[in-house]
Amino acid sequence: MIQVKTSAKCAGCVAKIAEQLNVFLAPEQWNLDLSTPDRILTVNADVPAEKVVEAVRAAGFKAELL
């Protein structure tokens, strides 16, 4: 499991991140919890953590591995 702290703030932010993640992940393999202060993106897939971080950054958001 990969967990990434993000700067996403709303459903629109999640949609932008989804465009990047859904290129290499199925929608059920990840979840972004906007209710937590760190807005944690959790990925349950066998992919490199750095690829997930880069996808979030490519969508225009900050991303930091936890």
Side-chain angles (χ1 to χ4, degrees):
M1 181 173 69
I2 301 163
Q3 289 196 308
V4 179
K5 177 180 174 180
T6 73
S7 62
K9 291 181 171 53
C10 64
C13 300
V14 175
K16 287 180 184 169
I17 292 170
E19 287 177 19
Q20 298 294 324
L21 291 178
N22 290 342
V23 170
F24 61 94
L25 292 171
E28 62 272 7
Q29 291 180 300
W30 64 271
N31 179 59
L32 207 165
D33 187 355
L34 294 177
S35 68
T36 62
D38 290 337
R39 296 172 182 90
I40 304 298
L41 168 65
T42 303
V43 175
N44 288 302
D46 188 19
V47 296
E50 193 55 40
K51 186 171 184 177
V52 174
V53 170
E54 288 302 318
V56 175
R57 290 180 179 157
F61 299 94
K62 293 179 184 173
E64 178 186 328
L65 274 176
L66 296 179

